[in-house]
Amino acid sequence: MESLDRRRTGPEQEEGFGVQSRRATDLGMVPNLRRSNSSLCKSRRLLCPFSSEKQENLSSWIPENIKKKECVYFVESSKLSDAGKVVCACGYTHEQHLEVAVKPHTFQGKEWDPKKHVHEMPTDAFGDIVFTGLSQKVGKYVRVSQDTPSNVIYQLMTQHWGLDVPNLLISVTGGAKNFNMKLRLKSIFRRGLVKVAQTTGAWIITGGSHTGVMKQVGEAVRDFSLSSSCKEGEVITIGVATWGTIHNREGLIHPMGGFPAEYTLDEDGQGNLTCLDSNHSHFILVDDGTHGQYGVEIPLRTNLEKFISEQTKERGGVAIKIPIVCVVLEGGPGTLHTIYNAITNGTPCVIVEGSGRVADVIAQVAALPVSEITISLIQQKLSVFFQEMFETFTENQIVEWTKKIQDIVRKRQLLTVFREGKDGQQDVDVAILQALLKEMYRVSLCRSGCPGTHSVDQAGLELRNPPASASQVLGLKAASRSQDHFGHENWDHQLKLAVAWNRVDIARSEIFTDEWQWKDLHPMMTAALISNKPEFVRLFLENGVRLKEFVTWDTLLCLYENLEPSCLFHSKLQKVLAEEHERLTYAPATPRLHMHHVAQVLRELLGDSTQLLYPRPRYTDRPRLSLPMPHIKLNVQGVSLRSLYKRSTGHVTFTIDPVRDLLIWAVIQNHRELAGIIWAQSQDCIAAALACSKILKELSKEEEDTDSSEEMLALADEFEHRAIGVFTECYRKDEERAQKLLVRVSEAWGKTTCLQLALEAKDMKFVSHGGIQAFLTKVWWGHLCVDNSLWRIILCMLAFPLLFTGLISFREKRLQALCRPGRVRAFFNAPVVIFHLNILSYFAFLCLFAYVLMVDFQPSPSWLFYDPDGCGLMKMASLYFSDFWNKLDVGAILLFIVGLTCRLVPATLYPGRIILSLDFIMFCLRLMHIFTISKTLGPKIIIVKRMMKDVFFFLFLLAVWVVSFGVAKQAILIHNESRVDWIFRGVVYHSYLTIFGQIPTYIDGVNFSMDQCSPNGTDPYKPKCPESDWTGQTPAFPEWLTVTLLCLYLLFTNILLLNLLIAMFNYTFQEVQEHTDQIWKFQRHDLIEEYHGRPPAPPPFILLSHLQLLIKRVVLKIPAERHKQLKNKLEKNEETALLSWELYLKENYLQNQQYQHKQRPEQKIQDIMDTMVDLLDMDRVKRSGSTEQRLASLEEQVTQMTRALHWIVTTLKDSGFGSGAGALTLAPQRAFDEPDAELSLRKKVEEQGDAYHVSARHLLYPNARIMRFPVPNEKVPWEYPFTPSMAEFLIYDPPFYTAEKKDVTLTDPVGDMAEPLSKINYNAVDGPTDRRSFHGTYVVQCGFPLNPMGRTGLRGRGSLSWFGPNHTLQPVVTRWKRNQGGAICRKSVRKMLEVLVMKLPHSEHWALPGGSREPGEMLPRKLKRVLRQEFWVAFETLLMQGTEVYKGYMDDPRNTDNAWIETVAVSIHFRDQNDTELRRLEENLHTHEPKESTRGLKLSTEWQVVDRRIPLYANHKSILQKVASLFGAHF
């Protein structure tokens, strides 16, 4: 037999993870396991080595915590190294040993012992690893001792290597030799493995070497890295290898760490060693101080994987234990051992059929009943799949293989076989995730207990009775039919995994079925939101999540507290909190986040036109609002508006809209898909889209990351298009109602309007929409019809009595009457009339101004005052000066005041006229703004404004040439000019005029004349003469140089720069021309809004309007009426109807968008391909269905023939025929009496486990490191009589084991000597011990009794007390399960029972309150521990009055060939809930919570509902089933 810690002796070992049993010592938990790293660190983790600071920290931490193994005693071995050198027993040569090891003193004369002669020392190999000549990817590695605790390694990986805690652990095992796979299967495996790892955030753990299955995994990761973008993240692949088997490991040794260490992959020279795989990202190199010994890493890898799978990861408020799955490719005996250990410990395994050897053997028999998996069948399979190795297999090995495969298949719920293209399987990733879901189904049944009981953590509970068929579990459908606690617990665990893996396809197909109604998806919804998993959010919304119930005050706080640190909104919130902390100097710490902090940041983004979306809490010292405050009003989305909160002071009502709140949260993080899904749920959708556009545009201005900024702008544009799309649908349906939506006051968005939000966001496309422009035109014309000619308007303005002649038409019927005086008011209040009145007044002002300046500019002015912009308008200064034209107005007025002041002073009369002349230019420029209303001139004015920017940039370039040429010319021509004005003329003015053709006079000396210049520069009206000769008549400057400079200057300025300016103008024109119409329509609103709120009287008569207003407010105290604005506060009913109408049309818009998306050519191609695949699958199903029907028909015919033959044989026998030796024997007819006999028989066998004991043949004996001899099913029965026929199993040689007990008087001797055992009297009452069996006389051979149920693979009495039968008592205490009203609960018509169970300390199972008894006692020991002593006698009475439901053998893992357990099960049932004995029983129970019981080593008791899924030992469950049958109760 091979021990658990066996080692392989060659490079052909199987790569595996060898799961240990549950008895392994628990390792300390690592602190801060839930920490996660930033995405930046994650994306750069393998792209760059550690920083110098991290290197120093790592160089100090690793040697202190991680050790290596060194041999300190050289003992010459009989073997030689590959180079022919003498080596130590550890495998290393003299040179590779420490000096103290070559010259030992301590161990002189002793034999080499690895436990004594191998010591731990600080590791000397760690850091970064780079593979020479291959990719520049940097990995991490460390050399560790085989005894290194798993928590230390885990801490290294998560905290020092920076790995995120995984959502899943994938352990890949299989053959370590290179093997061939079909190209298609290899492609499917690689794609599926990497897909599941990348989408779920998993770690892949392998052996790390460049061979076999590890090489396949490495190549899969390499292909993914080459084909994916950096944004997709990396695949974490961890290689756990043996240090002593690595070729070229000397290059990894760096005592202070290698940063990086170069490693050479040399397959040709590796010999019996192996090379590391270059495609793995991390390496853990396990050292035991030996060289060339394979398998050293298996125990450490086992412990590490077990430790990781026990950790808990929390994301989005949902905590899940890290699941683990084993993926098997190919493999040999070692791989089978790995699979067996994994299955034994409850780890799901995925077997890839077609990969070869062990994987194919298990795949071939996985669907068979255990009874059909015989030694001969396994031998046949081995001969097929192990052609060359089969001859080397011994009979013992084949028996061991058979036993292990039987145990593996017996737990088929943990086994998933991936068959390419079969059973609908197409991808390995789906098979892996389905395997984990099946495991979650199994564990959830074990953990959930029963309805109405406390939940118990029993992750390790082992279901010994798998479901009837693997298909039931694969489909995961059967459990969904159970609408109870079990089903809910099952799906809840599965859903947590699916969300963590981000596999919505698995959730749709396997979890969310039509048969299950979800009750509470809110935690999952929160996790999906925080993790940014939009498809899950969509799935949850489709399956009943109501945002109105989901979004609470605390939910919002939770979401905002979990913002990504890299989010710009998060930094703005932190800034707000810091500012508040500075204001509250008495605050001891930074204040906690409240929603009013969020509201402050949102108001900055949305603008001052909106009010705060969330209130400030009433009491600032309150940390958070857990429940809505009573003085607060909630308004949820127009329809079904209900109050959440309203501040008691003031008149501002704050509303909360669930969709709005989630939409804002998604938008500020730039989550595009998530925001789109949530927006689709909104009702006030146009306002929501425009608000999102505004928020995104504001955030993009402050975002430093260019890519993020561009993404925000793109998303803002997308929301603008959505607003346009919905408004278009509304406008097509009803123009008037659509225009109401524009000016409706939205309570949810801070009492602003859609139009105001669009203007704030500068959504020009939306504002330029035809419907909005029609609305603005309607506002522009007021009560007038828009078809009135302009000449009619002007004519009526000059002679208003014409209004009563019908020259002007009005929209409202009440104004159609010609005699109504309201026509005059309606006419002059129209913005179009007010505008033209102002134009006429303005032209009159300009004409008068020009006349005064040019004709009649007197020292004493005539006192007329003009206000060109209506200064009586009440505008805030910041808003007023944000407009360029307002700035121009203020500048013109100030300049006018300065000029007027100068005019009043006689000495400054002329400067005053100059100032007023310049001021006249500014007033004339003001006309450009007036003409922006014109559809013809307006766009052209916009183009001129844009070209002015080009001119300023051009002037900068031009100034360089002008100044450079001017200075050079002035210096060459003029000597020491001291007059500043003439210097400016020569340098700037003359150079500038040269561009337009005015050539300087003296540039070439042709027009040189002393009369036109001043020789000494004394004449202020003449320039200084240029350089001349001594006569002063001939120029002396180099003419050739000045002419050359002039030509070059003209070349660059006239030809290059001027043409550049023209090109810039042309580009600007072309660019702006496309959007000029949108810009003009957008700016048109400002002018319309300005004149919509202006008094009718033009300047200077507007002063009368202001005077009237002053008298009304100050003198008469008349309160101000609400000023006319483009806002409309609707009644509640009207608003509700309008929003419902908008919601309906939004759905139409989304349907149209989906239809258009489907009409795209690429989408049509994809749909056609999907349809073809579905048709092919359907055709395959039909063909398989037809085959199944034919087989069923054939089976039915064979059954009928068998019945007929059975009748014939029976008749012949009754007539006296066939009584001889050759009589024909047929199978019992009852096997064929029911339909689907074979299926029913197979189902029955699988439900009962096996025909023989199963638990008693587990290879690993409980609580001892003893391995049983493998006993397959067919070798369980003893051969009677004991004759040479026993030669059938001559190789049976089980080990002997008997545990020593503390109380020797209550146990049999150990049994290793025959003399003490000869005193035992078997099959009789032996003193106080009853050694009789309920199954009759048992055989005693060589002084040892033989188990009447057959072989177990272990001799001795094990951990039992007696040889032979060990009698136990199992009281089954039951009562009816009742509801709150006292009525008995029923399920499927049958009544439901509750049973009293108990949990042992440190046990993972629940059990009946029974067990072994002390000699002469009636009550079991364990029952006495949970009952008070005063009730013992009463309970004995209940036992005697009870009903015996079972007496016989118990299949227990402690049974051996010579000792076994037999039990008597007695049913004690309380029919009445008011039974006196029942009350006394409950009063005398020592009740403890399971967790408390574990800590205090006490037993815990509970009442649990009797059900087939009750988490009991399998043998106890069979007893419970008999009790349920006794009372006709549900099971």
Side-chain angles (χ1 to χ4, degrees), residues 878-948:
S878 59
L879 181 62
Y880 181 83
F881 285 105
S882 63
D883 188 5
F884 168 77
W885 299 108
N886 293 336
K887 296 176 183 177
L888 184 64
D889 286 340
V890 172
I893 294 172
L894 292 177
L895 198 61
F896 182 84
I897 294 173
V898 173
L900 183 62
T901 305
C902 293
R903 183 181 178 183
L904 295 176
V905 180
T908 58
L909 178 63
Y910 182 67
R913 190 175 69 178
I914 295 174
I915 293 173
L916 291 175
S917 299
L918 298 176
D919 193 31
F920 180 79
I921 297 175
M922 297 181 67
F923 280 121
C924 288
L925 290 176
R926 188 63 171 78
L927 286 172
M928 294 180 65
H929 176 57
I930 295 176
F931 290 123
T932 53
I933 194 65
S934 172
K935 192 172 184 179
T936 304
L937 294 178
K940 302 301 183 289
I941 293 173
I942 294 172
I943 294 175
V944 170
K945 289 174 62 178
R946 293 293 180 92
M947 287 183 175
M948 290 296 293

Side-chain angles (χ1 to χ4, degrees), residues 50 58 62 125-129 138-142 161 257-261:
F50 285 126
L58 205 63
I62 287 185
F126 62 91
D128 301 332
I129 183 172
V138 180
K140 304 288 185 292
Y141 77 99
V142 65
W161 282 353
F259 299 100

Side-chain angles (χ1 to χ4, degrees), residues 102-118:
V102 181
K103 299 178 180 180
H105 302 286
T106 308
F107 304 114
Q108 284 273 340
K110 296 183 179 180
E111 296 201 7
W112 191 84
D113 184 357
K115 295 182 179 179
K116 297 180 180 179
H117 303 155
V118 176

Side-chain angles (χ1 to χ4, degrees), residues 76-148:
E76 184 175 330
S77 174
S78 59
K79 299 179 181 179
L80 299 178
S81 67
D82 294 339
K85 295 183 178 181
V86 177
V87 296
C88 174
C90 67
Y92 288 103
T93 62
H94 275 94
E95 296 77 9
Q96 294 170 323
H97 276 72
L98 299 175
E99 185 177 353
V100 66
V102 181
K103 299 178 180 180
H105 302 286
T106 308
F107 304 114
Q108 284 273 340
K110 296 183 179 180
E111 296 201 7
W112 191 84
D113 184 357
K115 295 182 179 179
K116 297 180 180 179
H117 303 155
V118 176
H119 289 181
E120 283 191 346
M121 301 179 182
T123 187
D124 57 359
F126 62 91
D128 301 332
I129 183 172
V130 175
F131 288 82
T132 306
L134 299 174
S135 65
Q136 296 300 315
K137 184 176 69 173
V138 180
K140 304 288 185 292
Y141 77 99
V142 65
R143 174 185 181 183
V144 302
S145 167
Q146 65 175 356
D147 301 323
T148 305

Side-chain angles (χ1 to χ4, degrees), residues 1161-1235:
E1162 58 271 18
Q1163 187 63 33
K1164 285 187 175 181
I1165 294 174
Q1166 183 65 37
D1167 293 342
I1168 292 173
M1169 292 178 62
D1170 294 341
T1171 304
M1172 292 179 62
V1173 170
D1174 293 340
L1175 289 176
L1176 291 174
D1177 292 342
M1178 188 179 299
D1179 181 63
R1180 185 177 60 197
V1181 171
K1182 287 182 178 180
R1183 284 184 293 173
S1184 63
S1186 176
T1187 304
E1188 291 176 358
Q1189 290 178 359
R1190 294 170 62 186
L1191 289 174
S1193 176
L1194 180 61
E1195 183 179 356
E1196 183 179 357
Q1197 294 177 12
V1198 171
T1199 302
Q1200 292 176 356
M1201 292 176 60
T1202 305
R1203 290 174 180 171
L1205 288 173
H1206 193 281
W1207 177 79
I1208 293 173
V1209 171
T1210 303
T1211 304
L1212 291 174
K1213 282 184 178 181
D1214 294 341
S1215 302
F1217 295 95
S1219 57
L1224 181 64
T1225 302
L1226 295 178
Q1229 185 178 353
R1230 59 183 175 85
F1232 306 97
D1233 287 342
E1234 51 182 290

Side-chain angles (χ1 to χ4, degrees), residues 326-347:
C326 175
V327 180
V328 182
L329 257 73
E330 212 245 5
T335 301
L336 179 64
H337 181 70
T338 297
I339 301 171
Y340 177 81
N341 284 339
I343 294 293
T344 301
N345 289 277
T347 300

